[in-house]
């Protein structure tokens, strides 16, 4: 079905709303009801009332509403909000469905937030933004050349922004539609230290005092759920956090704020004041039968506030207001996708929300799921305002929707402690910025797993320059404080964070500009979309390295056009990023303080100046109280332009960059002319040459952070070796021989679908040599006995072998079939090599178990389908839990994992004569499809073998 299009200008010049019909508009409900603060009609300058580039659009489908937007050939795509993988989203596909995605990979298609938004860079250099005004699950498919495809189960408007001359103008236009970021307090832009969990008040104070003793800057410490009494929100453990107000007072006395977690899951327990109050006020989300929905989270059985109602948001806000009286400085909303321990990882879509009329009214959960986290953050924000209207609230939310930046910062979720996630963290922060959320950052060092010293130090080097800078780590991992990885790493962390605090005046100014104009704080270099290790903070260019064996100074950085001059603070280090300032810019620099409370408006101010080709430069500096709302009444100073504050009596240090890190300096007083004598061209050349030579010699004397193969101290520590890549035909695999020889990533290239993703030491594709869990085979170190090399480090086939004891080896030959590159094959066997003469040549009893853990793209839409040996047709869904198939119920040589939502199926073929049992086990977001051989002894002549294949097809 195709429909005619209607384009209507709705907001400002260059912004259009598109609908297929009046009926579609009516079915879609209130447009931009969650994101748009004010709607206004304007007169466009072009009398035709259309954008300069009109996309070709069509609506196709009956049950599924698909919108296709065809743009000029050569268009590239960015945006899509919180998305893993590369910065450029061309040829990618995502699904907007907020998901608890612990340990996500580069191919994960649904993360914690939903942004149905695409930023297009047109072939002529102009930019166009496209927003699908839809809160439900939505597919964004960018795999077809220069084409945007949206697909959802209900009608929705499309809104375009532009074309404009630059991506920043598009993002600014979007931000004025959905709301710009709330102006953060200055302390919120300092460094944050977090852990799941700091178990007591004493431990919290010990950590912050260590920061102060070691001279490492820090402004905030975080309390995860272990501060609570039995994970009950708004309570404190009477033993470990007996006097939170006293602890907070101690923190404040040494310049540190505290942020505390609040989850949406409220323990179902009579006598617990929050549960009793909520039940009395009828605030819980309902099941279809009208009774409160109960789901399991950290406290056990829980009920959940219905934040779609203003009445209920006010109830929650009052709880927050009272909670703040304990000295709480900020609040962390976690698990608010909402997440819970079910196979779908969230509540049933049939649950009922009693939403207010202006945002859609009474609807089932599928309508409100993606905005639940944002509405919780809004309610928390409003509670903080109730507590003290003279302070700017700080809220961090894991789940969100486009427009969440009005209420909360965000982070990139439960990432992994490895080099791939370090690399992805840059792109993810930049994508969020391009989608209207400038206040974001990753868990520095990685949340899950143990960082190595070099990985942690390198991550801190770049993470200290992200808009939001926080270190966080999971329970059961080694300590991840800056001093936890040796002296070299500690020094790099100290230097990195001192950099941040010297640049805090600039970062704070960028946030003021973002708050007023909607521009990103951290922005990518669009001229080179494949370069993902550099980003801009205004005129400041940060060039990092995410390669384990190369520092930033050893990498060839492609700079934008124009003049870019390198500089440092006398802190250049092999494990820190390189810094450049754009010609024509002035960068304000503060003192190297330990926390923002040490700073004063009268402190000496440094200005770094990079002259343009005409010998000119200009800059901007916003200064106010650092908190509160006096700036909205004119109580601020904006360098050279506006504000009621008088210029402070302070000394200036002006440094003019000459190139190669060289500079000349002059001193003066703020508000007065400062004169500086420029050297001759010969003197400049000499200074530059000398400075460059000095820097090279200095870098030679600095010891980089040691590259350790393995982090120490905890079982299950991840190794730092780079996985082997096997790539050919339709498949891209990552294989780690060093623990279990496991496959940790399985990506089907034509469909851009990742069917398997895991940490190095657990899950993924595993094999065992016995019927018991984690028997020999899955944890041994494997060696590569042969492989066919296609190009450097990329292979078409590989053969691994692991010694599993008792004279046995487990051999695995993984290959992508040359005759049919759509298929990859795994031929595994347990072989006897030296079982001993006393055994008669036979080994112990063994069973070959093939145990892959597949990632479910859409858990509720997945089934395992097959024809059994007895001829019956079988379909196993997630409601089945664990299913064992033996005898005639086994698949007759083939079973298929079907994703009904994406239309993709993965076929697993095998010789049923080699397989005695099949097992299906549904997890919360994954699926195990196991193949078991007979259990028997083996000899040199009678190995156990299972040979099987995988192929992805279109359903």
């Amino acid at each position: 079905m195709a429909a005619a299009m209607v384009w209507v200008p709705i907001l400002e010049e260059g912004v259009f709303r598109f609908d297929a019909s009046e009926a579609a508009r009516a079915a879609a409900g209130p447009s931009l009801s969650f994101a748009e603060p004010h709607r206004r009609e304007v007169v466009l300058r072009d009398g035709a009332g259309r954008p300069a580039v009109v996309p070709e659009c069509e609506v196709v489908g009956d049950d599924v509403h698909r919108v296709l937007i065809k743009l000029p050939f050569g268009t590239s795509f960015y945006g899509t909000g919180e998305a893993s993988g590369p910065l450029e989203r061309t040829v990618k596909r995502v699904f907007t469905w907020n998901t608890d995605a612990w340990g996500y990979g580069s191919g994960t298609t649904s993360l914690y937030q939903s942004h149905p938004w695409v930023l297009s860079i047109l072939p002529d250099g102009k930019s166009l933004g496209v927003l699908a005004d839809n809160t439900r699950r939505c597919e964004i498919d960018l795999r077809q050349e220069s084409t945007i495809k949206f697909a959802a189960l209900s009608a929705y408007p499309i809104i375009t922004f532009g074309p404009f001359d630059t991506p920043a103008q598009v993002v600014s236009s979007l931000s004025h539609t959905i709301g710009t970021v709330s102006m953060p307090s200055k302390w919120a832009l300092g460094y944050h230290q977090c852990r799941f969990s700091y178990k007591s008040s004493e431990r919290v104070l010990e950590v912050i005092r260590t920061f102060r003793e070691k001279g490492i800057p820090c402004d905030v410490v975080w309390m995860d759920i272990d501060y609570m009494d039995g994970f009950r929100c708004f309570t404190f453990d009477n033993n470990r956090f007996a006097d939170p107000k006293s602890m907070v007072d101690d923190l404040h006395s040494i310049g540190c704020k505290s942020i505390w977690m609040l989850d949406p899951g409220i323990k179902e327990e009579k006598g617990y004041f929050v549960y009793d109050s909520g039940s009395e006020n009828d605030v819980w989300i309902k099941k279809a039968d009208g009774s409160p929905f109960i789901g399991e989270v950290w406290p056990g059985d829980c009920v959940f506030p219905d934040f779609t109602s203003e009445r209920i948001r006010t109830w929650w806000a009052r709880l927050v207001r009272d909670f703040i009286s304990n000295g709480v400085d900020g609040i962390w909303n976690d698990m608010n996708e909402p997440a819970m321990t079910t196979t779908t990882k969230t509540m049933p879509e049939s649950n009922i929300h009693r939403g207010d009329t202006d945002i859609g009214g009474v609807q089932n959960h599928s309508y409100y799921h993606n905005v639940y986290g944002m509405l919780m953050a809004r309610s928390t924000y409003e509670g903080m305002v109730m507590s003290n209207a003279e302070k700017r609230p700080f809220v961090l939310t894991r789940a969100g929707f486009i427009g969440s930046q009005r209420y909360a910062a965000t982070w990139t979720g439960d990432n992994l402690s490895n080099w791939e996630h370090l690399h992805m963290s840059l792109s993810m922060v930049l994508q969020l910025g391009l989608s209207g959320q400038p206040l974001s950052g990753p868990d520095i060092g990685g949340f899950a797993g143990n960082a190595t010293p070099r990985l942690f130090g390198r991550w801190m080097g770049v993470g200290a320059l992200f808009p939001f800078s926080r270190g966080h780590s999971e329970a059961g991992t080694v300590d991840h404080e800056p001093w936890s990885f040796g002296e070299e790493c500690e020094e790099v962390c100290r230097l990195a964070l001192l950099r941040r605090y010297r640049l805090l005046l600039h970062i704070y100014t960028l946030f003021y500009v973002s708050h007023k104009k909607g521009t990103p704080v951290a922005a990518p270099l669009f001229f080179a979309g494949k370069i993902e290790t550099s980003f801009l903070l205004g005129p400041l260019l940060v060039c990092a390295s995410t390669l384990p064996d190369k520092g930033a100074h050893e990498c060839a950085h492609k700079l934008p056009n124009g003049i870019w001059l390198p500089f440092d603070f006398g802190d250049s280090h092999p494990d820190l990023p390189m810094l450049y300032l754009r010609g024509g810019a002035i960068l304000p620099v503060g003192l190297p303080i330990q926390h923002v409370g040490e700073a004063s408006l009268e402190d000496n101010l440094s200005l770094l100046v990079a002259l343009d080709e005409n010998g000119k430069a200009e800059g901007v500096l916003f200064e106010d109280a650092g908190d509160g709302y006096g700036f909205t009444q004119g109580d601020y100073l904006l360098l050279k332009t506006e504000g009621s504050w008088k210029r402070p009596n302070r000394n200036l240090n002006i440094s003019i960059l000459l190139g190669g890190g060289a500079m000349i300096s002059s001193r003066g007083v703020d508000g007065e002319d400062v004169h500086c004598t420029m050297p001759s061209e010969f003197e400049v050349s000499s200074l530059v040459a000398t400075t460059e030579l000095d820097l090279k010699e200095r870098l030679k004397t600095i010891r980089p952070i040691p590259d350790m193969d393995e982090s120490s101290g905890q079982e299950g520590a991840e190794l730092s070796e780079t996985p082997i890549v096997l790539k050919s035909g339709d498949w891209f695999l990552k294989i780690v021989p060093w623990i279990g020889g496991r496959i940790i990533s399985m990506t089907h290239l034509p469909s851009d679908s990742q069917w398997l993703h895991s940490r190095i030491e657990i899950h993924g594709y595993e094999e065992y040599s016995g019927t018991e869990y984690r028997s020999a085979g899955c944890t041994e170190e494997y060696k590569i006995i042969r492989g066919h090399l296609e190009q450097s480090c990329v292979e078409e086939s590989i053969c691994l072998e692991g010694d599993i004891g008792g004279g046995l080896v487990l051999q695995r030959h993984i290959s992508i079939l040359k005759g049919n590159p759509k298929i990859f094959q795994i031929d595994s066997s347990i072989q006897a090599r030296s079982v001993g003469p006393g055994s008669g040549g036979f080994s112990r009893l063994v069973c070959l178990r093939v145990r892959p853990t597949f990632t479910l793209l859409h858990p509720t839409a997945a089934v395992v389908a097959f024809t059994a040996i007895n001829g019956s047709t079988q379909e196993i869904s997630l409601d089945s839990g664990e299913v064992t198939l033996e005898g005639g119920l086994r698949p007759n040589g083939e079973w298929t994992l079907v994703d009904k939502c994406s239309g993709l199926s993965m076929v697993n073929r095998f010789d049923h004569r080699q397989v005695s049992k099949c097992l299906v086990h549904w997890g919360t977001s994954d699926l195990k499809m196991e193949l078991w051989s007979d259990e028997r002894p083996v000899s040199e002549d009678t190995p156990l073998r299972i040979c099987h294949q995988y192929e992805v097809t279109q359903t």
Side-chain angles (χ1 to χ4, degrees):
M1 178 184 73
M5 303 297 102
V6 178
W7 290 87
V8 184
I10 63 166
L11 299 169
E12 58 184 58
E13 185 173 345
V15 181
F16 292 76
R17 180 172 182 264
F18 151 77
D19 274 310
S21 65
E22 291 295 336
R25 282 196 288 274
S31 175
L32 273 181
S33 52
F34 298 102
E36 182 184 348
H38 301 289
R39 185 187 301 268
R40 62 187 177 89
E41 302 287 342
V42 301
V43 178
L44 298 178
R45 283 184 297 196
D46 63 346
R50 301 171 65 90
V53 173
V54 180
E56 294 182 45
C57 296
E58 58 177 325
V59 174
V60 181
D62 295 314
D63 296 332
V64 177
H65 296 256
R66 293 184 173 90
V67 176
L68 281 69
I69 302 175
K70 299 179 181 179
L71 297 171
F73 182 83
T75 296
S76 58
F77 298 121
Y78 298 83
T80 71
E82 187 180 56
S84 58
L87 175 65
E88 186 176 345
R89 307 308 295 167
T90 310
V91 309
K92 296 297 179 182
R93 179 177 63 165
V94 300
F95 293 84
T96 61
W97 186 252
N98 292 1
T99 302
D100 179 2
W102 181 97
Y104 56 85
S106 60
T108 304
T109 55
S110 295
L111 294 181
Y112 307 89
Q113 303 208 5
S114 294
H115 301 77
W117 159 258
V118 178
L119 175 64
S120 309
I121 307 298
L122 305 174
D124 62 1
K126 291 188 176 182
S127 300
L128 175 75
V130 183
L131 174 66
D133 184 13
N134 174 42
T135 65
R136 298 181 189 270
R137 187 195 311 265
C138 180
E139 177 186 12
I140 307 172
D141 189 346
L142 306 175
R143 294 175 296 173
Q144 184 176 329
E145 172 66 40
S146 303
T147 301
I148 302 171
K149 297 180 183 179
F150 293 107
L153 292 176
S154 63
Y156 49 94
I158 293 293
I159 299 172
T160 62
F161 300 80
F164 295 114
D165 291 335
T166 67
Q169 289 175 301
V170 174
V171 176
S172 179
S173 181
L174 170 72
S175 296
H176 281 99
T177 301
I178 63 176
T180 63
V181 66
S182 293
M183 185 64 192
S185 301
K186 189 176 285 187
W187 63 261
L189 301 181
Y191 176 68
H192 300 239
Q193 182 61 47
C194 189
R195 171 81 172 172
F196 174 31
S197 283
Y198 292 128
K199 296 283 190 171
S200 68
S201 297
E202 291 75 21
R203 177 59 177 153
V204 171
L205 290 167
E206 177 190 12
V207 168
I208 296 306
R209 285 168 180 154
T210 305
F211 271 97
R212 299 293 180 251
E213 291 164 5
K214 290 182 174 290
I216 302 174
C218 181
D219 259 280
V220 191
V221 66
W222 291 60
M223 265 52 70
D224 211 309
I225 54 175
D226 289 293
Y227 80 84
M228 301 176 190
D229 177 16
F231 306 134
R232 298 172 182 86
C233 288
F234 302 103
T235 69
F236 299 91
D237 185 281
N238 288 330
N239 295 317
R240 293 179 288 109
F241 288 87
D243 190 350
K245 184 64 167 63
S246 176
M247 185 196 79
V248 168
D249 290 342
D250 289 343
L251 289 171
H252 288 174
S253 71
I254 53 176
C256 186
K257 306 289 187 182
S258 65
I259 292 176
W260 306 69
M261 177 180 284
L262 290 176
D263 290 347
I266 301 300
K267 186 174 179 65
E268 183 203 22
E269 179 183 66
K270 290 184 178 180
Y272 167 36
F273 75 96
V274 180
Y275 175 75
D276 291 344
S277 171
S279 298
E280 181 181 340
N281 287 279
D282 189 24
V283 304
W284 312 127
I285 294 171
K286 306 289 188 181
K287 294 191 295 185
D289 64 9
S291 61
F293 166 74
I294 298 172
E296 185 177 354
V297 207
W298 289 105
D301 286 346
C302 290
V303 287
F304 299 82
D306 187 353
F307 293 109
T308 65
S309 163
E310 183 179 6
R311 176 183 67 83
I312 297 171
R313 288 198 303 273
T314 301
W315 170 84
W316 178 270
R318 288 170 179 157
L319 288 170
V320 170
R321 175 196 61 194
D322 297 342
F323 186 65
I324 296 295
S325 65
N326 294 287
V328 170
D329 296 300
I331 291 179
W332 175 13
N333 289 158
D334 195 18
M335 302 290 288
N336 56 342
E337 290 74 28
M340 51 202 68
T341 55
T342 63
T343 53
T344 64
K345 305 198 80 169
T346 191
M347 62 179 57
E349 295 184 35
S350 59
N351 279 358
I352 301 300
H353 292 266
R354 293 161 290 167
D356 295 326
T357 304
D358 61 340
I359 64 171
V362 176
Q363 298 274 359
N364 64 22
H365 184 67
S366 63
Y367 180 86
Y368 285 117
H369 174 85
N370 285 335
V371 297
Y372 184 83
M374 180 177 75
L375 292 173
M376 180 187 184
R378 173 181 174 177
S379 181
T380 303
Y381 179 97
E382 290 167 349
M384 295 195 73
V385 172
M386 280 186 189
S387 174
N388 189 338
E390 300 304 314
K391 288 187 176 180
R392 301 173 201 166
F394 181 85
V395 179
L396 183 80
T397 184
R398 189 169 77 174
F401 189 69
I402 193 161
S404 294
Q405 66 276 356
R406 289 173 291 164
Y407 311 115
T410 195
W411 86 106
T412 59
D414 295 342
N415 58 359
L416 299 180
S417 224
N418 62 35
W419 290 93
E420 179 186 32
H421 275 252
L422 163 60
H423 184 85
M424 280 199 304
S425 67
L426 282 87
S427 297
M428 294 180 75
V429 168
L430 296 175
Q431 294 289 16
L432 283 162
L434 294 178
S435 304
Q437 171 53 288
L439 187 49
S440 73
D443 286 342
I444 294 172
F447 176 72
N450 298 315
T452 62
R454 181 173 294 180
L455 173 63
F456 188 86
R458 196 75 68 76
W459 210 326
M460 183 65 79
V462 65
L465 297 174
F466 284 146
F468 174 60
S469 183
R470 184 184 75 154
H472 185 33
S473 54
E474 186 177 38
T477 60
V478 299
D479 288 344
H480 279 63
E481 289 76 39
W483 52 85
S484 301
F485 296 94
E487 293 181 0
E488 294 87 358
C489 182
E490 178 183 327
E491 176 62 11
V492 167
C493 292
R494 182 182 294 107
L495 293 173
L497 290 171
L498 286 170
R499 270 187 175 184
R500 179 177 187 84
Y501 279 74
R502 297 198 71 166
L503 293 169
L504 210 54
L505 291 172
H506 175 60
I507 295 171
Y508 189 64
T509 298
L510 291 177
F511 268 100
Y512 175 74
V513 175
S514 182
H515 169 68
K516 297 294 286 185
K517 298 184 178 181
T519 51
V521 171
L525 280 63
F526 281 104
F527 77 97
K530 301 300 182 184
I531 296 178
E532 300 181 331
T533 55
S534 300
F535 61 94
L536 292 164
L537 294 170
L540 171 60
L541 174 62
V542 179
C543 295
S545 170
T546 57
L547 300 173
D549 56 347
K550 278 189 177 181
H553 66 292
E554 299 173 292
C555 299
H557 299 291
K558 187 174 180 181
L559 303 179
N561 293 333
I563 297 171
W564 292 91
L565 301 178
F567 71 95
D568 63 17
F569 301 110
D571 60 357
S572 285
H573 192 284
D575 291 303
L576 288 178
M578 296 185 67
L579 305 177
Y580 296 84
L581 187 60
R582 188 188 68 226
I586 300 175
L587 183 71
V589 175
L591 298 177
I593 55 179
Q594 296 298 300
H595 59 89
V596 298
E598 288 187 341
S600 166
L601 201 62
E602 286 75 34
D603 288 341
N604 292 350
L605 175 66
S606 296
L607 299 176
L608 296 182
V609 180
L611 301 175
D612 63 14
E613 59 274 11
N614 299 315
K616 295 182 178 180
E618 62 181 12
V620 61
L621 173 61
F622 173 79
E623 296 174 288
D624 72 345
D627 204 346
Y629 295 95
F631 76 97
T632 65
Q633 306 300 317
D635 293 340
Y636 66 93
L637 177 64
L638 189 61
L639 188 65
K640 193 181 175 180
T641 56
E642 57 189 63
S644 63
W645 278 15
K646 294 182 179 179
R647 194 167 299 281
N649 181 24
R650 59 186 168 193
N651 295 323
L652 294 182
N653 180 36
I654 313 295
S655 296
I656 299 177
L657 304 182
L658 303 175
M663 62 181 72
I664 58 169
S665 298
S666 183
R667 298 185 182 277
V669 176
D670 196 357
E672 299 179 2
D673 290 343
V674 180
H675 299 276
C676 187
T677 303
M678 292 295 293
S680 66
E681 288 189 23
F682 174 78
E683 290 171 322
V684 169
S685 298
S686 178
L687 277 170
V688 169
T690 301
T691 304
E692 289 178 335
L693 181 61
D694 288 346
L695 177 59
K696 287 182 179 179
E697 294 300 318
R698 180 152 49 93
L699 287 172
K700 289 179 183 178
T701 66
I702 298 173
R703 186 184 175 196
I705 301 173
D707 186 17
M708 298 176 63
D709 287 343
E710 189 172 351
S711 54
S712 59
Q714 295 286 327
E715 184 179 352
E718 291 188 271
L719 303 180
S720 64
E721 287 94 340
T722 303
I724 292 170
V725 171
L726 194 153
K727 181 181 180 182
S728 184
D730 285 7
W731 290 98
F732 181 90
L733 311 178
K734 289 183 180 179
I735 303 158
V736 181
W738 304 286
I739 304 179
R742 72 187 68 244
I743 303 172
I744 63 169
S745 182
M746 179 190 296
T747 301
H748 183 250
L749 297 173
S751 64
D752 189 35
S753 55
Q754 190 171 38
W755 292 88
L756 182 150
H757 176 78
S758 77
R759 292 163 61 179
I760 288 176
E761 82 281 5
I762 191 170
H763 298 321
Y765 178 95
E766 303 171 311
E767 290 181 357
Y768 301 83
S769 63
T771 57
E772 71 276 10
Y773 177 60
R774 294 186 80 77
S775 53
C778 74
T779 57
E780 281 67 30
E781 182 174 333
Y782 282 60
K783 61 182 179 180
I784 303 168
I785 58 175
R786 63 182 180 275
H788 182 268
L789 200 67
E790 184 183 61
Q791 56 184 352
S792 178
C793 296
V794 179
E795 301 175 349
E796 293 176 324
S797 66
I798 187 171
C799 191
L800 310 172
E801 193 172 274
D803 185 344
I804 58 175
L808 299 176
V809 297
L810 206 162
Q811 188 179 103
R812 186 174 310 140
H813 186 204
I814 306 168
S815 58
I816 297 173
L817 302 184
K818 288 187 176 180
N820 188 353
K822 295 179 179 294
I823 295 173
F824 86 85
Q825 175 175 285
I826 304 175
D827 190 352
S828 299
S829 59
I830 298 177
Q831 303 176 10
R833 292 289 170 82
S834 54
V835 295
S839 65
F842 287 93
S843 73
R844 66 183 187 271
L845 282 173
V846 288
C847 171
L848 176 58
R849 289 174 57 198
V850 172
R851 192 173 193 261
T853 302
F854 297 115
T855 303
L856 296 177
L857 303 179
H858 308 96
T860 58
V863 297
V864 176
F866 59 91
T867 300
I869 291 174
N870 64 14
S872 62
T873 301
Q874 303 287 333
E875 190 170 281
I876 303 172
S877 65
L878 59 87
D879 297 329
S880 306
E882 183 170 294
V883 178
T884 299
L885 305 165
E886 299 181 273
L889 293 176
R890 286 174 295 152
N892 191 16
E894 177 179 302
W895 56 352
T896 303
L897 172 56
V898 181
D899 185 326
K900 294 182 178 180
C901 184
S902 67
L904 297 174
S905 298
M906 186 175 64
V907 184
N908 178 204
R909 302 185 181 96
F910 53 90
D911 185 342
H912 69 81
R913 295 169 297 180
Q914 297 176 341
V915 176
S916 66
K917 181 166 63 176
C918 299
L919 187 144
V920 178
H921 179 82
W922 297 89
T924 54
S925 62
D926 54 38
L927 171 69
K928 294 177 178 64
M929 297 173 63
E930 298 190 24
L931 305 175
W932 293 41
S933 73
D934 290 324
E935 186 177 27
R936 63 174 174 81
V938 298
S939 68
E940 290 185 6
D941 299 325
T942 58
L944 278 174
R945 181 182 179 216
I946 295 178
C947 182
H948 61 119
Q949 300 175 340
Y950 294 98
E951 179 181 6
V952 171
T953 62
Q954 194 78 28
T955 302

